[in-house]
Structures are given as C-alpha cells and as structure tokens.
Amino acid sequence: MSIMKLSMGPQHPITGHFRFILDVDGDLVLKLEPDIGYTHRGIEKLAEKRTYLQNLPLIERVNSYCDSVGTMLGYLEAIEELMGLEVPERAKYLRVIAAELNRIASHLYAACLFSVATGLETMLMWPINDRELILDLLEKLTGQRITYTYPTIGGVRFDMSEGFKEEALKRLDYLEKRTEDYYKMLLWNHTFQIRAKNVGILKPSDAIRLGIVGPNLRASGVKADVRKDEPYEVYDRFDFSIPTGKNGDSYDRLEVRFKEVEQSINILRQAIKDIPKGPIKKWAPPIVPKGEVYTRVEAARGEFGYYIVADGTMKPYRLKMSPPSFRNLIALPYLCRNVPLADVPVIYISLDLIPMDVDR
Amino acid sequence: MLEKIGKSLMNIKLLRKIFNWGRAWSLWSVHLETGCCGPEDMARACARFDTERFGTLPFPTLRECDLIFVTGFVTKKMAKRLKLAYEQMPEPKYVIAIGHCSISGGLWWDSYSVVQGVDEILPVDVYVPGCPPRPEAWIQGIRMLQEKIAKEGLKK
C-alpha cells in the first residue's frame, strides 16, 4: 500500500492547538510530525519590555491552563535569589498550599482528558466536577478560578480567609475517598486497560536520553522530583514519597498522576497543620541587582526551568524558560512510530502536553 | 422556486418565531480552542455549569455546528485556521468572543504574533470580557446570543 500524508488538527477534539502531520499506511502510523506554534505569543520577548512585577501575569499565562502557581514559583525563586530576599515563613507555606492544590486540579484535568481520548464519557464528568471543588478552595484563597497571580515578589498577595482550613480538610477527605472510586471506575476498568496498557512504552533509558521530565519520567520508573532533589520553598519539611511506574506505558502515566494526587493531599494536610503565624509579604525593591540565575521547580507537568539575566534595571535583560511540555513533546514522535491511528490520541493525552507551554 | 417559497414562508411572523426559537436553543459549538480559556470551556460544558441545559453542546464536526467560541487570544497562525473553520460552517453561524485577548488583544497588546481583536477576521455577535471569564459569564453570553437570535429580523 502507498503511504499517505494525513493532517490532524487544530480543529480536532483531541489535538487541542496542535497539528499532527501523520504518515499513514492504511491504519498504521509510520511517522508523526507535530506542527507547533499555534499559540506562540512571544512571551520571552515581551518579558524584556516589562518590569519584573508586570511580568507576573505574563509568566502565569505560559501555563494558565491549570498550573499557574507552579509556573510562577520558578520565576519568583529566581528573582528572590538575585535580590537575596528571604520570604516570610507563612508566605512560603501559603505558596506550597496553592501550588499543591493547583497540582491536584491539573492532574484531575489530565484524567478527564484521558477518559475522553479513550471514550469514557462518565469519567469526563467526574474528575472535572471534583476539580471544581478544588477550584472553589483556590477561589477562596486567591479570588480567582484559574488565573490567580497569587504569589508575588516577596510573598503572597492575600492571607488565608477564615474557615479555609476546615473547608480544605473536609474537601481533601472527600477527594481521598473519591480517588478510590477513580481506581474502580477508570484505572481498573477492563475497557480502559485494553486501550491504555502496553501503549506507548517509554523505557527509562530512553526517557533519560530524550530529556523527559515530570510524571512522564517517573512513570518510566526513574525517581526524579525537584521537590525532593533540590527542595525549594518548604518542601524539605514535609514527609511524602515519589510515586513511580513500572512499565512506562500510557496506563502508568495516568496511574502516577493519581498517586501524585494522593501525595499532594498528604503534603496539603501537613502544610495546613504546620502553617505558622506571621507576615505574608516582605517589601521588595523594584530594581533587581545585576547577575544571572537559573532555578528549577516542579510544576504539575514536570521540571520548569527559568534562566534570568538581570542588568541592574527594572526590566529583565533576558528571560529564558524551559517548560515541561516542550521537553515532553519530543517523546510524541518517538512513541508514535508503527502504532495504530487510534493509539495516537491516547499517547498524546497520556503525555499531558499543553500547547501554550510548548509555544510560549 | 423552492427557495422563493421558503423565503415567503419565513416572512410569516409566527413561522419565523418558531424557526428562531429552534435556532436559539440548539447552538452547537465547534471544538476549536484558540487560547487559554480552554479549561473554562470544559468547565462550562461539564457537570456543574452544564450549558447543555441551554442547548449548547460541544461537537466535533464542523458541518453540524452553529457557534464558535473564540477562546482567548488568536495568533496569526491560528487566525487562518479559525477563518477556515468559520467558512466551513453552514449558515446561520454565530461567534462569541471570550476573554479580553479575543476582544482587543488584552495582555498581548504589544505582541508581534497575536491578532489584536478577533473582530478583525470574524463578525462577532457577543463579547464576553474576563481573563478568563467565569463559566457563569459564558452562560450569560449564550443567553444574550439567544435573545439576539430571537429578535432576528425577517430579512435574513
């Protein structure tokens, strides 16, 4: 049979903002080439025109999809390191609480996209409904649903409102019970296992060679988490484990995310219990001293790196980001070789890529 | 001949009203995400906010859709695809611009690759401001469009 070129997206329920150029032979995909750039806004260039404080909403929208706090923390860490600014204890705890809540929301979002890709409509509704509960908590904390601009240079913008602790603990208890239902409904579901198991296997050696980060790397069995390896904020004070997968297939990638939700609940409980009293913000000068810095944080999708060159003015001279989805994108053409066409959406969704993160 | 009969039938006020009512309550939306209001699109379509109550159902096939939500900023590369998608849809078709970015460029007012307002490329019916707008605001946008359709004149 002859090889045919097939174009998939961007108007496609699965691909989002991507276009895939596929070489297909009948039903078999021989080669996949992602066509990126549909959401390129030039954030790195725009960041040079604005002050450090004005950059906050800009940076947030790199991944405003689900994980805006995790994205911003790296930028703030970098600036605070350049300034030599020590953030108040309470602010650090509040940042961790917001970031972990955001991680749960992000992983639930990934789960519901996965179930759409495998055709399980009920599991589209369940996680997104539970995600709303988490978004309610974040709204109570920050005043917004998905774009918070909550952490700021030198601390956070708002303190915990009254009754937040009790409400949070109640909802976390509920969510913990609910994750068991997810295992029963989605992960142990035979129909789902047929679609997801042994699809898109990424070996640990390949994952390291390709530079995969985050839950996708951990699903391949590599124990790597910036929260443990290079603790930032107050992550070194919490007792939590790094879940890893065995086979590195699409199923493991989702299972690792669910296990991470459990660990996030664990961290949140400790953070809410231990949070000290005190100020939430420290005054920070608008001018950042001359220097260069690279920081990395663990966002929901993996390691998020920031490289900032400051020239002693109010604006950054250069801001370079290394977002997790861009690093994970390289696994997609690698995994989509000689697979049936129906497996392409499953592999794509299992990597949990965000086009906005890729293009910036 | 059939077209003429159809047009004259549409001039009858009662028939027109019934027609408009049918159109207003079955606005199926295209699944084309352009910017970062995407998760709110999902939230408004799913369990809690459930816009299917108002007949707005996200649907994969363009040829059966009547409504485009322009979710957030539109880059120059995406603008071509968006226009292509709009042209493929059958008449009548409606556009709702979601978020500051699709209304006026928003945060990306000085960006080199973002279209400054989607009304440069598509005729927009309803604007919903916010970054991103809450699902309640989306629902209000849908209701406003329904009211607009119900008043739709006898000419079209």
Side-chain angles (χ1 to χ4, degrees):
Chain A
M1 240 173 145
S2 61
I3 294 165
M4 199 167 73
K5 277 221 187 260
L6 190 71
S7 167
M8 201 171 166
Q11 192 275 313
H12 189 277
I14 291 303
T15 57
H17 318 255
F18 279 130
R19 189 162 72 108
F20 303 142
I21 300 156
L22 308 167
D23 282 1
V24 288
D25 182 1
D27 193 29
L28 201 70
V29 177
L30 301 176
K31 199 180 124 197
L32 181 145
E33 203 181 311
D35 178 17
I36 62 172
Y38 283 98
T39 55
H40 175 70
R41 292 150 285 174
I43 289 183
E44 285 176 12
K45 190 71 199 165
L46 291 181
E48 291 167 17
K49 291 187 200 170
R50 304 181 190 196
T51 63
Y52 287 99
L53 203 60
Q54 283 171 341
N55 273 336
L56 292 177
L58 208 67
I59 302 281
E60 186 182 29
R61 275 153 188 80
V62 171
N63 192 350
S64 71
Y65 239 63
C66 320
D67 185 36
S68 47
V69 179
T71 311
M72 278 170 83
L73 280 184
Y75 176 70
L76 295 169
E77 287 274 313
I79 292 175
E80 280 153 10
E81 200 177 316
L82 276 174
M83 283 179 173
L85 196 72
E86 189 57 40
V87 180
E89 283 284 288
R90 191 176 173 83
K92 279 184 184 174
Y93 271 86
L94 283 170
R95 279 181 182 184
V96 168
I97 288 170
E100 291 304 315
L101 281 173
N102 226 321
R103 190 187 309 275
I104 294 175
S106 169
H107 285 340
L108 289 176
Y109 190 73
C112 72
L113 284 182
F114 206 128
S115 40
V116 175
T118 48
L120 297 162
E121 287 279 314
T122 315
M123 285 309 288
L124 158 68
M125 296 293 174
W126 282 21
I128 208 143
N129 204 20
D130 288 344
R131 179 172 165 265
E132 293 288 334
L133 299 179
I134 300 296
L135 293 188
D136 281 351
L137 278 180
L138 278 164
E139 199 181 338
K140 210 167 184 180
L141 189 66
T142 66
Q144 252 283 16
R145 268 173 61 88
I146 59 173
T147 46
Y148 319 107
T149 326
Y150 179 59
T152 180
I153 302 169
V156 291
R157 285 202 302 154
F158 313 110
D159 205 345
M160 244 182 213
S161 56
E162 221 173 278
F164 175 82
K165 277 187 188 177
E166 292 78 27
E167 188 66 32
L169 289 171
K170 220 163 88 185
R171 291 195 176 190
L172 290 177
D173 285 343
Y174 169 78
L175 199 71
E176 198 168 34
K177 253 188 248 162
R178 193 71 169 163
T179 37
E180 286 169 25
D181 290 351
Y182 290 141
Y183 277 98
K184 281 179 203 158
M185 277 292 283
L186 187 68
L187 288 165
W188 299 336
N189 186 342
H190 184 59
T191 357
F192 178 75
Q193 291 198 350
I194 294 170
R195 286 299 302 274
K197 272 208 167 167
N198 295 323
V199 171
I201 297 173
L202 191 64
K203 285 176 201 149
S205 56
D206 286 336
I208 292 168
R209 186 173 58 82
L210 292 168
I212 309 299
V213 290
N216 298 335
L217 177 64
R218 293 195 279 278
S220 296
V222 183
K223 228 175 195 183
D225 192 321
V226 185
R227 287 177 293 174
K228 279 272 188 204
D229 302 341
E230 237 177 68
Y232 55 99
E233 304 297 344
V234 282
Y235 276 112
D236 49 345
R237 294 182 203 174
F238 302 125
D239 175 33
F240 66 101
S241 62
I242 307 169
T244 48
K246 276 176 200 157
N247 306 322
D249 54 4
S250 302
Y251 178 85
D252 273 5
R253 265 169 249 151
L254 188 65
E255 202 183 17
V256 160
R257 288 196 166 84
F258 271 116
K259 282 179 184 165
E260 263 183 36
V261 167
E262 282 162 22
Q263 291 306 317
S264 287
I265 293 173
N266 192 0
I267 295 172
L268 275 167
R269 281 210 183 110
Q270 294 174 41
I272 289 171
K273 201 179 130 210
D274 296 348
I275 187 164
K277 285 202 169 80
I280 54 158
K281 204 182 164 225
K282 207 174 184 183
W283 184 82
I287 292 171
V288 174
K290 215 171 176 179
E292 334 184 340
V293 68
Y294 176 82
T295 51
R296 54 192 191 135
V297 292
E298 185 76 21
R301 279 164 185 77
E303 188 184 315
F304 211 124
Y306 280 93
Y307 178 64
I308 294 180
V309 182
D311 57 352
T313 57
M314 281 165 77
K315 295 170 185 175
Y317 178 75
R318 176 86 172 94
L319 173 70
K320 173 75 188 157
M321 293 172 225
S322 131
S325 296
F326 183 66
R327 296 218 203 152
N328 290 338
L329 179 70
I330 199 161
L332 186 67
Y334 179 76
L335 294 176
C336 291
R337 275 188 213 151
N338 300 323
V339 293
L341 187 60
D343 282 354
V344 172
V346 176
I347 294 170
Y348 166 65
I349 294 288
S350 75
L351 289 170
D352 199 12
L353 303 172
I354 281 205
M356 253 148 279
D357 206 334
V358 176
D359 299 334
R360 307 195 288 292
Chain B
M1 186 67 193
L2 274 171
E3 263 181 33
K4 267 189 180 176
I5 296 168
K7 267 186 185 170
S8 56
L9 276 176
M10 289 307 288
N11 282 333
I12 301 167
K13 215 176 173 183
L14 183 69
L15 278 179
R16 181 81 217 180
K17 268 190 178 173
I18 293 170
F19 218 76
N20 282 349
W21 172 81
R23 275 179 184 172
W25 289 91
S26 68
L27 292 166
W28 287 11
S29 66
V30 181
H31 204 296
L32 175 67
E33 310 291 345
T34 58
C36 37
C37 299
E40 291 294 66
D41 191 11
M42 206 141 175
R44 66 108 188 136
C46 286
R48 186 186 279 189
F49 296 100
D50 192 16
T51 48
E52 220 178 313
R53 291 177 291 167
F54 308 101
T56 307
L57 170 77
F59 203 72
T61 325
L62 275 173
R63 298 282 185 192
E64 289 159 55
C65 290
D66 331 82
L67 175 63
I68 285 192
F69 282 111
V70 183
T71 49
F73 60 87
V74 182
T75 56
K76 282 175 184 163
K77 192 172 179 182
M78 187 60 106
K80 288 174 200 160
R81 310 282 154 188
L82 186 65
K83 214 174 170 192
L84 203 70
Y86 182 74
E87 279 162 4
Q88 282 175 22
M89 279 159 65
E91 289 276 355
K93 44 195 171 186
Y94 307 97
V95 179
I96 297 184
I98 299 283
H100 292 313
C101 313
S102 64
I103 295 172
S104 66
L107 198 63
W108 321 107
W109 60 275
D110 53 350
S111 171
Y112 54 81
S113 70
V114 175
V115 177
Q116 304 300 318
V118 73
D119 41 11
E120 284 179 15
I121 45 171
L122 300 182
V124 180
D125 291 285
V126 177
Y127 297 91
V128 182
C131 191
R134 295 178 60 88
E136 289 95 331
W138 291 61
I139 291 170
Q140 197 198 0
I142 294 165
R143 294 291 292 138
M144 277 168 82
L145 182 62
Q146 284 177 341
E147 278 162 26
K148 194 181 173 184
I149 294 168
K151 284 178 201 158
E152 218 164 53
L154 304 172
K155 282 175 196 167
K156 206 175 178 183

